Amino acid sequence: MAGVLPSPSEQTRFRRELARAPVATLVELVCRLGYAARGAVYVSIGLIALLAALELTPHAESPLGALEAWAAWPFGTFLLWVIAVGLCGFALWRLLQSVFDADRQGRKLKAILNRIGQGVSGIVYSALALSLFELLDALEDFGEVDDDAETREGLAQLLAAPGGELAIMALGLFVAGVGVGNIVQGVRRNFCNGLSCDRRIAGWIGPLGRAGYIGRGLAFLPAGLLAIQAGLRARVGEQGLGDALDLLERQPFGSWILALTALGLVAFGLFAFAEARYRTMSVEQATQGK
């Protein structure tokens, strides 16, 4: 674990920063927990999808469905609370990136589009955190939450509204675009940019990020196409990440495709853990408007 856990000098620096700027330091800590929570979500989705590819479980799961499986573990409910709080932390970091330009991207068109995407990502993770809090409330009341049924009901209501088909198709195009963008990033991006780590650690973080973004893109593409299909046919059938992964499995050589995509999702989750540890964050500058 050498190089992964904070060294004594880093712990000393953390205590010094905590004494100097306690609010910004604690906010940064929560944001780093957010990256770890994001990683836990994707590792869970990927592992369940891998089990589905190996026919050891009936089907892949949505993010909330994957987390729901944790409830049966010892201390599982406690871990779910930690993940829910962490997802709020990640949404907070997206807010700092999109509104306060924490990464100092500037105001060029590419930067603005990137910041808009980060804002949308923050909204998505806020919604997932809220759903997880609702799941925890249901588990405490010995109830059950059917995430897929709730998703279908919400999309059905949207389809029934004026222009609902176009809204669903626009959503599908956006999700498919995110998938394509992730694949492009996986091929072209230097994943060690923005990370503070030595060359030895960068040697494994870079390939991990590359595999993770490509796997995430392959998972998002069918999710977007399913939403577009629902809009075109004015009905709600399969949709969501879990259904998209099931769709991959039904293709020729689908189990192999699903297994590779699942490994990519696990890699994306592990890369998020690496970001939680090594990502450069300028929380203090962002919050002070510097």
Side-chain angles (χ1 to χ4, degrees):
M1 296 294 291
V4 176
L5 297 176
S7 64
S9 61
E10 290 174 322
Q11 295 174 27
T12 300
R13 184 164 60 251
F14 173 78
R15 287 194 292 269
R16 188 182 303 122
E17 289 297 315
L18 184 61
R20 185 185 63 82
V23 174
T25 303
L26 290 175
V27 168
E28 178 179 331
L29 187 62
V30 170
C31 292
R32 293 190 183 279
L33 175 62
Y35 272 104
R38 186 195 200 195
V41 172
Y42 275 95
V43 169
S44 300
I45 299 170
L47 289 177
I48 292 178
L50 183 60
L51 292 175
L54 298 175
E55 298 183 353
L56 296 176
T57 192
H59 55 79
E61 288 286 356
S62 65
L64 188 60
L67 290 175
E68 189 176 357
W70 290 32
W73 298 359
F75 306 107
T77 302
F78 170 76
L79 292 173
L80 287 177
W81 276 106
V82 173
I83 295 300
V85 172
L87 291 174
C88 292
F90 190 75
L92 172 62
W93 173 240
R94 285 307 198 206
L95 173 69
L96 292 175
Q97 287 178 303
S98 61
V99 177
F100 298 97
D101 195 14
D103 290 332
R104 294 296 179 263
Q105 299 178 82
R107 296 185 177 180
K108 293 184 179 180
L109 179 60
K110 181 179 179 181
I112 291 174
L113 291 175
N114 193 38
R115 289 169 64 182
I116 291 174
Q118 289 168 337
V120 172
S121 173
I123 294 172
V124 170
Y125 281 99
S126 296
L128 179 57
L130 178 60
S131 296
L132 187 49
F133 282 125
E134 291 176 348
L135 169 64
L136 285 163
D137 182 61
L139 289 173
E140 289 178 358
D141 295 334
F142 303 100
E144 294 182 357
V145 175
D146 190 338
D147 181 45
D148 289 336
E150 287 186 355
T151 301
R152 286 185 172 87
E153 181 180 354
L155 290 177
Q157 291 175 354
L158 181 56
L159 277 174
E165 299 91 341
L166 293 177
I168 292 294
M169 291 172 63
L171 175 63
L173 286 171
F174 176 78
V175 173
V178 170
V180 172
N182 273 254
I183 294 172
V184 171
Q185 286 191 72
V187 173
R188 300 179 58 181
R189 180 178 165 188
N190 182 351
F191 289 94
C192 295
N193 288 343
L195 302 181
S196 179
C197 59
D198 58 39
R199 185 175 301 178
R200 176 180 59 84
I201 294 174
W204 60 264
I205 288 181
L208 195 65
R210 193 174 305 280
Y213 269 83
I214 292 175
R216 186 173 182 245
L218 291 175
F220 274 33
L221 270 176
L225 294 176
L226 285 171
I228 294 171
Q229 182 185 57
L232 287 172
R233 298 184 179 179
R235 65 175 180 83
V236 176
E238 299 166 313
Q239 74 287 312
L241 189 55
D243 292 312
L245 293 172
D246 285 340
L247 176 65
L248 285 178
E249 188 178 23
R250 294 197 296 271
Q251 306 309 306
F253 306 103
S255 293
W256 287 97
I257 297 173
L258 179 60
L260 290 174
T261 303
L263 290 173
L265 292 173
V266 172
F268 186 85
L270 295 177
F271 178 69
F273 285 125
E275 287 187 292
R277 171 67 174 83
Y278 296 111
R279 199 186 199 288
T280 302
M281 290 185 174
S282 302
V283 172
E284 185 177 2
Q285 293 181 10
T287 54
Q288 294 179 355
K290 296 182 179 178

